[in-house]
Amino acid sequence: MFDAELENIDILSEAPATEPERQYYFIAKAKKLITEKEKELGRSLTFCVNTFGCQMNARDSEKLVGILNQIGYHEVETEEADFVLYNTCTVRENANQRVYGRLGFLNNLKRKNSNMLIGLCGCMMQEPKVIEKLKKSYRFVDLIFGTHNIYKFAELIVTRLESNRMVLDIWEDTDKIVEDLPSQRKYSFKSGVNIMFGCNNFCSYCIVPYVRGRERSRSPKDIIAEIKKLVADGVIEVMLLGQNVNSYGKNLENPISFAGLLEQIENIDGLERIRFMTSHPKDLSDELIDVMGKSQKICAHLHLPLQSGSTNILKKMNRKYTKEQYLVLVDKIRKAVPNIALTTDIIVGFPGETEEDFEETLDVVRRVKYDSAFTFIYSKRTGTPAAVMEEQVSPEIIKERFDRLLKEIQDYAGKKAMELEGTVQEVLVEELDQQKEHWISGRLSNNSVVHLEGDASMLGKIIKVELSECKGFYYIGKKIDKAI
Ligand code: 5AD
Ligand code: SF4
C-alpha cells in the first residue's frame, strides 16, 4: 500500500473487523504515532530486525520489516536502534541461550535510549516456560508475540505505544492465513514464498510441531497470484517454503499435490528458477520425481533430511521410513535427475544410538555421497517424546561420532564439487563479493556458490560461467558470454 492510500484510512473511526483491512488501519495509526514521536524528538526513528533460525523465519522477518517500513521506521544494521526485534528459533536449546544472553546487552542499550522498544517473536515465544521466564526476569521487553499472529504486528505496536506496558500475545495454534500484507524483500530478484505453515509429523526429537502448529496449506490461487506479482516486480527465482512441502495441499478443500502445484508454477512466464524446502522422504512421491525430471525450471538440488541411517533409530524418531526405503528413493531421484545435488540433515546422538546405529548412518553417507550436509548434535527439547527416552548418549561419544561424520561428509562433498570443475554452468548473480572489490558471488542451479570478477550491473542476472577452479565448497569462475 502507498503512503497516500494509508493517509486515506480513517483512524478515528473503529478498527475494521476483517483482515487484512484491520492491519492496514493499525499501520496507518502506528504511522501517525511514529511521525508525532519523530517530530517531538527532531530525528527519524530506526529499527533493526535480527533473525535466528531457518528460511521460514527469514521470510517472516521480511514481512515484519515490511510492516516496520510502512509504519515509518528506518532500517539500520546496528542494534543501537529505536526498535529492536528478535525473530527467534528454538529447534535446539543453544539457540534459546543465545537470545537470553543478548537480551542483557539490549537492556543496556535501552538504559541509554528511553525511546527504545524491544520486541521478541518467533518459535521460542511459543514455549510456555520461555514466556514465564521473560515475564519474571526480563520485564524490560516491550512486545512479545508468537508464530501464529505475526500478521498482527502493527496492531500490537499500537497497543504498546498507547499503553506503555509489556504487550504479550501468544496463540496456541491457528487455522488462519492472512494474505496481502506488506513485505520487504531482501533481494530484488529472488524471494521465499510460503506455501504452507506448520507441521503434522511429530518427529520425536522435534519441537517444531508444538511451536508452529498444525499443517495449513495456502490455496494454489493465492500462491500463483503472489508469484506472478513477484515476477512482475523483477523476481526470477522463488524458494517455496514449508516444513514438509511434500504434503502440501492434502488438507485443502480441493486437494492438490505438491507436484501439481509445481506444474502450475512452472507455467509462469518470466520465472526462471524454482527451489523448495523442506522435503520429508516419507511423502516424496513418484509424481514429484517425474515432475522434477521433466521440469525446465526446478533447480538441480534436493534437500532430503536423513536424520539417521539406522532403521531402528528412524523408528524411534518417528520418521516413518527405513534406511532401505531412503536409499531406493535416492536412486529413483538420481535416475530422473542425474545431475541433482543432494543435501541432508543428520542428527548425532539421538537417545539409544549405538555404535552400530551410527555406522548405519555412515553407510548411507558413503552410498549417497551428499553434496553437503548439516550435522546436528541431538538437543533435548522439553515436551518432545525423545526428551524422556532413556539411554541419552554421553557428550564424549557424541563429540567423537560427530567429528567422524563431519570428516566423511566433507571428503565426499569435496570430491563431488570437483566433478564440475572446468564445466560451464548458469549462475544467478546474487551479491557483491564481501571479501574482494570488483568481484561478485552467485549460485548454480545445484545451489553451489561461485565467485567471479564482475560488478553491480550483473546482480540478479543469469550468466554463463566457466568454473575454473574448485575450492572445496565453492568455485572461482569466469564469465564467458553476455547475460542470457
Ligand atoms: N536436536 C538436534 N537437531 C534437531 N533438529 C530438529 N530438532 C532437533 C533436535 N532436537 C534438526 C533436524 C532438522 C533440522 C532443521 O534441525 O535435523 O531437519
Ligand atoms: Fe520437525 Fe519432523 Fe516436522 Fe521436520 S518433519 S519440522 S523434523 S517434526
Side-chain angles (χ1 to χ4, degrees):
M1 192 172 277
F2 297 109
D3 283 359
E5 288 173 275
L6 277 180
E7 271 162 30
N8 285 336
I9 296 177
D10 176 12
I11 52 174
L12 295 177
S13 65
E14 228 177 88
T18 53
E19 302 290 3
E21 296 76 15
R22 185 176 172 86
Q23 292 316 311
Y24 281 106
Y25 167 93
F26 282 108
I27 288 173
K29 201 160 183 174
K31 191 175 169 65
K32 182 162 174 282
L33 293 170
I34 296 300
T35 311
E36 281 167 8
K37 191 86 202 162
E38 288 188 332
K39 274 200 193 121
E40 182 192 319
L41 296 173
R43 64 174 178 89
S44 56
L45 289 176
T46 58
F47 79 89
C48 173
V49 175
N50 197 343
T51 310
F52 300 81
C54 66
Q55 311 233 15
M56 292 284 238
N57 265 15
R59 180 67 185 136
D60 282 351
S61 285
E62 290 185 345
K63 296 175 187 170
L64 295 162
V65 168
I67 292 171
L68 285 166
N69 274 332
Q70 287 233 316
I71 285 176
Y73 275 105
H74 300 268
E75 188 165 14
V76 287
E77 299 274 318
T78 144
E79 291 183 354
E80 283 178 44
D82 298 296
F83 194 134
V84 176
L85 180 67
Y86 281 1
N87 189 1
T88 62
C89 168
T90 190
V91 162
R92 285 166 291 275
E93 177 62 28
N94 56 5
N96 290 30
Q97 292 314 328
R98 263 176 57 206
V99 168
Y100 290 127
R102 294 180 77 112
L103 277 177
F105 166 70
L106 288 189
N107 193 20
N108 283 337
L109 292 181
K110 193 170 173 168
R111 285 203 189 103
K112 287 184 227 149
N113 175 4
S114 59
N115 294 297
M116 183 176 174
L117 296 180
I118 300 173
L120 296 173
C121 64
C123 294
M124 193 177 149
M125 300 306 123
Q126 294 292 139
E127 288 185 274
K129 72 171 197 302
V130 168
I131 298 303
E132 265 168 48
K133 186 163 170 165
L134 291 171
K135 281 204 304 207
K136 197 162 150 236
S137 314
Y138 296 83
R139 295 297 312 173
F140 57 88
V141 176
D142 297 282
L143 185 56
I144 302 174
F145 55 104
T147 55
H148 303 301
N149 52 348
I150 69 162
Y151 74 88
K152 270 185 72 182
F153 188 33
E155 184 170 349
L156 296 172
I157 291 177
V158 169
T159 311
R160 171 63 188 79
L161 291 174
E162 289 182 339
S163 75
N164 238 345
R165 37 182 187 83
M166 183 192 250
V167 171
L168 209 154
D169 192 11
I170 312 283
W171 300 359
E172 246 177 61
D173 203 350
T174 183
D175 52 8
K176 206 165 172 171
I177 297 177
V178 177
E179 300 284 349
D180 297 328
L181 281 164
S183 142
Q184 181 72 47
R185 292 198 312 276
K186 190 164 170 219
Y187 297 93
S188 60
F189 49 87
K190 69 170 186 176
S191 180
V193 174
N194 297 109
I195 61 165
M196 61 195 301
F197 303 92
C199 179
N200 286 355
N201 292 307
F202 290 94
C203 300
S204 65
Y205 50 82
C206 187
I207 202 160
V208 168
Y210 305 89
V211 297
R212 286 266 172 189
R214 294 295 65 72
E215 250 172 52
R216 302 168 309 276
S217 295
R218 287 177 70 196
S219 81
K221 194 174 111 276
D222 287 336
I223 295 169
I224 301 290
E226 179 179 348
I227 300 178
K228 282 189 174 161
K229 205 165 153 219
L230 288 168
V231 169
D233 198 28
V235 164
I236 58 171
E237 175 180 305
V238 288
M239 165 76 94
L240 310 176
L241 297 170
Q243 235 57 256
N244 175 13
V245 291
N246 297 337
S247 71
Y248 169 80
K250 286 185 183 159
N251 300 325
L252 285 169
E253 215 169 85
N254 299 311
I256 163 178
S257 65
F258 179 52
L261 177 73
L262 280 172
E263 280 180 316
Q264 289 188 31
I265 296 175
E266 174 103 13
N267 288 334
I268 298 177
D269 284 337
L271 183 67
E272 306 271 354
R273 283 182 167 187
I274 305 169
R275 298 185 187 276
F276 53 84
M277 176 156 230
T278 291
S279 284
H280 194 309
K282 80 175 166 68
D283 296 311
L284 202 145
S285 65
D286 289 349
E287 186 198 7
L288 175 60
I289 296 174
D290 195 44
V291 167
M292 288 172 74
K294 288 190 197 133
S295 169
Q296 302 296 309
K297 297 184 179 175
I298 299 175
C299 288
H301 171 216
L302 181 67
H303 186 67
L304 194 63
L306 170 68
Q307 312 300 3
S308 168
S310 154
T311 296
N312 173 36
I313 294 292
L314 286 169
K315 191 147 196 285
K316 289 191 186 162
M317 287 177 160
N318 194 28
R319 290 290 289 177
K320 302 201 173 79
Y321 54 86
T322 63
K323 173 188 180 185
E324 288 69 32
Q325 284 167 334
Y326 185 95
L327 289 169
V328 167
L329 196 55
V330 166
D331 277 348
K332 277 200 229 167
I333 294 159
R334 285 237 162 95
K335 228 173 246 142
V337 193
N339 62 343
I340 197 156
L342 286 175
T343 58
T344 199
D345 292 344
I346 298 173
I347 297 176
V348 180
F350 183 82
E353 184 190 72
T354 62
E355 176 59 24
E356 289 71 41
D357 292 321
F358 179 66
E359 289 283 343
E360 298 275 16
T361 300
L362 287 181
D363 187 47
V364 176
V365 167
R366 287 179 195 127
R367 292 210 215 174
V368 176
K369 301 184 177 64
Y370 292 104
D371 293 78
S372 80
F374 295 103
T375 47
F376 303 107
I377 287 178
Y378 167 71
S379 168
K380 193 168 164 174
R381 308 308 288 121
T382 310
T384 62
V388 290
M389 285 182 189
E390 284 163 12
E391 308 172 62
Q392 302 276 335
V393 185
S394 79
E396 299 75 41
I397 294 183
I398 293 183
K399 168 92 179 56
E400 183 262 340
R401 286 182 191 159
F402 189 84
D403 291 346
R404 274 158 71 201
L405 177 65
L406 205 63
K407 182 166 182 323
E408 201 91 32
I409 284 168
Q410 284 173 350
D411 284 354
Y412 285 115
K415 278 186 203 139
K416 283 294 289 285
M418 278 302 290
E419 287 172 12
L420 288 186
E421 194 180 70
T423 64
V424 172
Q425 302 287 336
E426 288 186 353
V427 171
L428 170 58
V429 180
E430 299 192 338
E431 277 170 341
L432 296 177
D433 199 312
Q434 311 290 337
Q435 322 288 338
K436 245 174 161 176
E437 225 183 314
H438 307 303
W439 278 63
I440 50 176
S441 317
R443 274 178 202 273
L444 309 186
S445 165
N446 79 3
N447 212 32
S448 298
V449 173
V450 187
H451 301 282
L452 66 152
E453 268 182 72
D455 56 50
S457 71
M458 290 152 77
L459 289 175
K461 303 221 165 80
I462 294 182
I463 56 171
K464 285 206 167 157
V465 172
E466 184 185 327
L467 305 179
S468 334
E469 197 186 344
C470 172
K471 292 275 196 183
F473 298 107
Y474 63 93
Y475 300 91
I476 300 295
K478 198 166 169 266
K479 178 169 179 284
I480 63 161
D481 72 7
K482 290 185 119 139
I484 49 171

